[in-house]
Amino acid sequence: MSFKALLVEKTEDGAQASVQEIDESRLPEGDVTVAVEYSTVNYKDGLCIGPGGGLVRTYPHVPGIDFAGTVEASDDDRYKPGDKVVLTGWRVGEAHWGGYAQKARVKADWLVPLPDGLDTRQAMAVGTAGFTAMLAVQALEDHGLKTGPILVTGAAGGVGSVAVALLAAMGREVAAVTGRPEQAEYLQGLGASRIVPREDLAETVKRPLESESWGGCVDAVGGAMLARVLGQMEYGASAAAVGLAGGADLPAKVIPFLLRAVNLLGIDSVLQPYENRVRAWHRIADLLPMEKLEAMVVPATLEDLPKLGADILQGRVRGRVVVDLRG
């Protein structure tokens, strides 16, 4: 049997992505075959789809770093046909064929049963970005959120959007950082009580300590902005760092860590233990307001993906792009 997929193939100039019919016999090895219903578009997907090939290890390749769907066949007792499942991480879409196909075959250990309260479309409206946001929020909780506003940088992006909605649903005051004034209404609709212009935090660190302004931070930017924010944290507050859009270098001083006991928490969504993944997905199902989730969704199809891959690399994508693969 054949199915539709976005296949990236090696060319003399780099790589080329196109929608093709693929025979099921070409699926990689795995314990569970899933009829994929939805996937999403993330920054890594843009790198994989692009002409340079980005993170792709071997060709031909199917990108898509997450997916949700229905188990079609299983060699593992934990899953049976008809079960709804979600997958994020484990280098799917990079080293292993991913979610931009109507079928996927993966290791059973990579899957999580979809919790009650979420359907497959909603799970991908959350996606890897929202899952990462939940991991960041849980890390802040585990280290003790302080009383002040919680800052979210890169707030209009996938991680930031869900982080704003989650924190607001928890009853926290959220300050959302964006470089685009036209995003203010969108972020306020998600629950942000304050909009912080990106330029207010764009300067490199001049003083290692500034006024204590933030009771915690979900940082999806990194680089100089994160360094600036560290000097504005309340005593004992934590910043959960999830992205490198602003660069991998951190031009920070050690003083916020020594004199204010600030915690810098690194969040990696790829190799999370099963218990952490289940906890995060159940918290999302219990906490995230579905009406706010819907406000983030931008629908897409397989045919839209080459352009969307370029758009996300250029910062032109807002919210959560959900790719419908059921057709």
Side-chain angles (χ1 to χ4, degrees):
M1 295 179 63
S2 64
F3 58 92
K4 290 174 64 176
L6 184 77
L7 196 69
V8 180
E9 297 177 292
K10 193 71 174 176
T11 66
E12 291 183 0
D13 299 325
Q16 179 68 43
S18 61
V19 177
Q20 299 185 27
E21 287 280 341
I22 298 177
D23 190 84
E24 191 169 336
S25 64
R26 296 180 65 185
L27 285 171
E29 294 184 0
D31 309 309
V32 183
T33 302
V34 178
V36 178
E37 296 171 16
Y38 296 96
S39 184
T40 63
V41 179
N42 299 273
Y43 193 83
K44 285 183 178 179
D45 298 318
L47 294 173
C48 292
I49 294 170
L55 305 174
V56 176
R57 308 286 180 86
T58 59
Y59 294 93
H61 181 71
V62 174
I65 66 170
D66 51 25
F67 63 79
T70 303
V71 172
E72 197 169 76
S74 175
D75 295 326
D76 189 287
D77 292 339
R78 289 171 291 178
Y79 297 100
K80 62 183 184 298
D83 287 349
K84 299 293 185 180
V85 292
V86 60
L87 187 151
T88 61
W90 307 101
R91 303 298 178 195
V92 166
E94 300 172 47
H96 187 95
W97 280 19
Y100 292 166
Q102 292 174 323
K103 291 186 189 294
R105 186 177 292 140
V106 296
K107 292 183 178 181
D109 289 341
W110 298 352
L111 297 168
V112 173
L114 199 64
D116 293 338
L118 279 181
D119 60 31
T120 53
R121 182 178 182 275
Q122 290 168 336
M124 283 297 98
V126 175
T128 295
F131 172 69
T132 305
M134 188 72 252
L135 292 175
V137 170
Q138 287 181 170
L140 294 181
E141 289 178 312
D142 292 344
H143 285 78
L145 279 165
K146 303 304 175 183
T147 58
I150 310 303
L151 187 73
V152 178
T153 70
V159 174
S161 293
V162 180
V164 169
L166 285 170
L167 289 162
M170 293 165 56
R172 297 306 305 247
E173 181 183 353
V174 183
V177 182
T178 181
R180 299 181 178 181
E182 68 273 15
Q183 304 287 15
E185 184 177 354
Y186 166 72
L187 293 168
Q188 289 165 344
L190 295 179
S193 53
R194 176 178 168 189
I195 305 299
V196 179
R198 183 169 57 197
E199 55 267 25
D200 287 4
L201 297 172
E203 295 181 7
T204 56
V205 175
K206 294 182 178 179
R207 293 180 296 164
L209 290 179
E210 300 181 61
S211 298
E212 297 183 45
S213 301
W214 317 116
C217 173
V218 175
D219 173 66
V221 176
M225 182 176 293
L226 175 57
R228 181 77 185 276
V229 168
L230 291 173
Q232 300 177 353
M233 304 295 286
E234 290 184 16
Y235 186 90
S238 301
V242 304
L244 297 173
D249 293 333
L250 183 63
K253 306 293 185 183
V254 74
I255 292 175
F257 306 105
L258 292 180
L259 300 186
R260 284 210 185 136
V262 171
N263 301 300
L264 179 58
L265 312 174
I267 307 299
D268 179 19
S269 65
V270 175
L271 299 177
Q272 285 290 321
Y274 180 79
E275 294 76 12
N276 287 6
R277 288 180 283 140
V278 170
R279 177 191 173 200
W281 279 107
H282 279 266
R283 288 288 309 283
I284 288 167
D286 292 340
L287 194 59
L288 189 61
M290 289 301 114
E291 69 278 6
K292 292 184 179 180
L293 187 65
E294 286 297 328
M296 303 178 205
V297 171
V298 178
T301 66
L302 270 176
E303 287 74 15
D304 296 326
L305 286 171
K307 181 179 184 302
L308 285 168
D311 286 346
I312 199 166
L313 294 180
Q314 297 298 319
R316 295 194 293 264
V317 173
R318 185 191 79 178
R320 305 292 302 125
V321 179
V322 177
V323 185
D324 189 341
L325 292 133
R326 298 169 301 165

